[in-house]
Structure formats: C-alpha cells, structure tokens
Amino acid sequence: MQKQRLLSFVMRHKVWLTAAIGIAALAPAVVRIADTVGGQADARPAPHQPVAKPAKVAAVVRPAKADDASYAVKRVLDVPEPMKIGDYVWNEDGAPKTGRIIITVDLAAGVMSVFRDGYEIGAAAIMYGADDHPTPLGVFAISQKDAHHVSNLYDAPMPYMMRLTNDGITIHGSKMRWNGATHGCVGVPEDFAHKVFDQVKLGDRVIVTKGEMLGVGEAIKAA
C-alpha cells in the first residue's frame, strides 16, 4: 500500500526533496548572480519543460523522529493530472489551522508545494531561472515580504514578493507562460503567490531541490 501511495505521489510530479542540501549547515547556497530579480526573461527560451515527466530516481527515506513528527509529510493534495503552467491548487480543508509552514520547490518537477504542520495545502507549477540565471539550490529563510515590490534593476513588478537571498532571489507572482523563464527567482501564478504570502512569516523555510523524492510519512528535509 505504501508503494502504491508513493507511486501515486511521484506521478503527480509533487513534493520532491533533496538529500544533498547539507542539513547541518542550514545555510543558503552561494548565489552566482548579482541582484537578480524575478522579472521574466523576455524572448528567452526556458531551459526546462515544467510539466515533463520526472526522471526515475530513488526515494530518499529518513523516518520521522518523535520530536520532529510535526514536520513529516502527513498529507498531499489530490491532483489527479500533472499541472500545466498557470495551474495551481489550494485546499486547506482537513489541515491544522496553525502550524509551521515549510515550502518545497523542485526544479526537476517544476512544482512548488506549501505545507502547514506537514499537510500540503497548496501546490503550483512554477517558472524558474534560465541557464544563464539559474535558481540556486539550498535551504533558505524568508527574509522580507513586500506585496507591491518592483524590481530596481529591471523595473518589473514582483507582486507578493518573498525574499530568499540578499542577492535578489525571491518567490513572487508572475505572468505565467509556457517556456517562460526568470532571472533566478521562482515565479508562480499571482493568485497563488497571494495565498502563500498570507501564510508565511519571516524566517519560514524554503527548500529548493532538483529531483529527489519524498513519500508520505517521511520527514521533510532540513525542516
């Protein structure tokens, strides 16, 4: 039964986490771009297909300990088909009203998930950095929120901006388009960004990975 649940989990292109984060450090990855913002890169072909089927990789398993049980994956949302660019789901029914928020972003699957107390309450197909402006991998803490942010480099609106690095990597609302790319930020539908913005607080963790999987009942990495 567990294998069936995990297979269903994988086929939905969701909740992917990495074993190479460096949990002990809990430090942001080195950002290789200067003051990037989330404005889309016009006429720039994306280096990915966000809804492509994920590669087959081995599940990373670390059983939840008694003291971190609240950070284990307890529920994933029912998304019967792969999401396309612009798609998102949000459903708080059955989830605790309060609890720690953890966001996971997987660049291989092209999906971002929002967990409250281990219950997935939201998920969206994303845009992310082009090859020359890659989105960094690692564990980040939200350090700033600005609902009406505008890029000081590209003069581009970044609604519901949630900052991940001092170099300008953020999560924010974007005009979603197929084969779109960003200058390193994580772009999500604006309505979805608004919902996430209302949930998170400064210091909440965002885990950016590329292609590792996690099943129901396993602990969220670097929580």
Side-chain angles (χ1 to χ4, degrees):
M1 186 63 171
Q2 177 65 19
K3 291 183 178 179
Q4 292 176 343
R5 290 173 62 83
L6 181 57
L7 177 60
S8 175
F9 197 37
V10 172
M11 292 304 293
R12 286 175 28 203
H13 301 186
K14 304 191 57 261
V15 191
W16 295 52
L17 298 171
T18 185
I21 288 175
I23 297 173
L26 287 180
V30 175
V31 180
R32 291 175 289 174
I33 55 179
D35 195 27
T36 186
V37 299
Q40 290 87 275
D42 293 336
R44 184 196 310 276
H48 63 283
Q49 291 185 342
V51 294
K53 290 186 178 180
K56 294 181 179 179
V57 295
V60 177
V61 179
R62 181 175 70 85
K65 299 178 182 179
D67 59 354
D68 65 4
S70 62
Y71 309 137
V73 177
K74 300 174 183 176
R75 184 196 73 178
V76 294
L77 292 172
D78 183 15
V79 184
E81 297 179 356
M83 290 184 290
K84 300 181 291 293
I85 284 296
D87 288 351
Y88 74 88
V89 292
W90 192 273
N91 187 350
E92 301 181 42
D93 293 346
K97 299 299 182 183
T98 60
R100 187 175 184 180
I101 296 292
I102 297 175
I103 294 173
T104 65
V105 176
D106 186 76
L107 305 183
V111 171
M112 171 173 147
S113 290
V114 182
F115 293 89
R116 184 200 293 147
D117 195 35
Y119 289 74
E120 188 182 31
I121 59 175
I126 65 170
M127 295 194 306
Y128 55 88
D131 287 343
D132 55 346
H133 291 90
T135 300
L137 305 179
V139 182
F140 306 91
I142 294 174
S143 59
Q144 180 188 8
K145 295 173 60 181
D146 185 355
H148 307 290
H149 190 74
V150 177
S151 163
N152 60 2
L153 182 59
Y154 297 96
D155 194 30
M158 300 166 61
Y160 306 110
M161 183 274 289
M162 294 158 276
R163 184 176 300 280
L164 304 184
T165 76
N166 292 334
D167 297 70
I169 301 299
T170 75
I171 298 170
H172 65 82
S174 293
K175 293 181 179 179
M176 307 298 290
R177 63 184 187 275
W178 178 251
N179 274 351
T182 72
H183 290 94
C185 293
V186 177
V188 297
E190 186 169 338
D191 288 347
F192 182 79
H194 190 178
K195 292 178 181 295
V196 178
F197 187 92
D198 287 345
Q199 290 290 322
V200 301
K201 63 183 183 302
L202 299 185
D204 282 345
R205 295 284 179 182
V206 178
I207 306 169
V208 183
T209 70
K210 192 172 184 179
E212 295 291 347
M213 296 178 290
L214 187 68
V216 173
E218 296 170 14
I220 297 176
K221 303 294 181 183

